[in-house]
Amino acid sequence: MRLFAIALLPLVAACATPREACLRPVNPPSRTLDRLVLETRANINRGFAMETRQEVREVMKPCEIQQPDGTVIRTMCERVDVVDKQVPVAIDLNAEKAKLASLEQRQLQMQASARAAIEQCIANNPQ
């Protein structure tokens, strides 16, 4: 079923009007930039950043082991468990504010560029 849907993708794309085809690549991939702006604002408001660190632990968990004669026994086995932990990290607030200003400026540039490209697509493809 999934293969069938993928095979239909070019056919559906071919149905797009010239305007739609022009507009599709115009919308910038701004999700990453938007996420960074929100994250930086949160860091400034908190006064510190949150960092994800992985904590590796060895834990005992039940497991089944097959013996040479084919019998299976249940026992406790040592396993490695990895857990993500959020930890606070000190930041330079002035540097973080400068980073936010830079990100917001880039965000405005991307929006202006996208608006200009959209207007150009509409002018070139009135319908």
Side-chain angles (χ1 to χ4, degrees), residues 57-125:
R57 302 177 193 160
E58 291 183 3
V59 293
M60 298 300 286
K61 291 188 176 183
C63 63
E64 294 180 351
I65 299 175
Q66 187 169 3
Q67 299 296 311
D69 65 358
T71 59
V72 177
I73 60 168
R74 289 184 57 85
T75 185
M76 296 299 281
C77 297
E78 199 171 279
R79 303 278 186 209
V80 175
D81 211 9
V82 180
V83 179
D84 288 342
K85 283 185 95 172
Q86 293 288 329
V87 294
V89 179
I91 57 171
D92 178 350
L93 283 175
N94 292 327
E96 202 75 4
K97 289 175 184 176
K99 179 171 89 173
L100 178 60
S102 174
L103 288 170
E104 289 173 334
Q105 181 181 5
R106 179 69 183 128
Q107 205 173 32
L108 289 174
Q109 290 171 348
M110 286 179 72
Q111 290 167 351
S113 172
R115 269 194 305 275
I118 288 169
E119 289 170 7
Q120 187 66 41
C121 283
I122 293 171
N124 292 342
N125 305 287

Side-chain angles (χ1 to χ4, degrees), residues 13-76:
C15 294
T17 66
R19 178 189 272 189
E20 289 169 338
C22 180
L23 289 173
R24 188 171 298 117
V26 168
N27 294 321
S30 62
R31 283 191 196 119
T32 301
L33 189 58
D34 294 343
R35 182 185 52 77
L36 288 171
V37 167
L38 290 173
E39 183 180 306
T40 305
R41 284 182 185 150
N43 290 347
I44 292 169
N45 289 337
R46 268 193 311 265
F48 57 89
M50 294 300 291
E51 186 175 279
T52 302
R53 293 194 184 152
Q54 290 188 330
E55 188 174 286
V56 180
R57 302 177 193 160
E58 291 183 3
V59 293
M60 298 300 286
K61 291 188 176 183
C63 63
E64 294 180 351
I65 299 175
Q66 187 169 3
Q67 299 296 311
D69 65 358
T71 59
V72 177
I73 60 168
R74 289 184 57 85
T75 185
M76 296 299 281

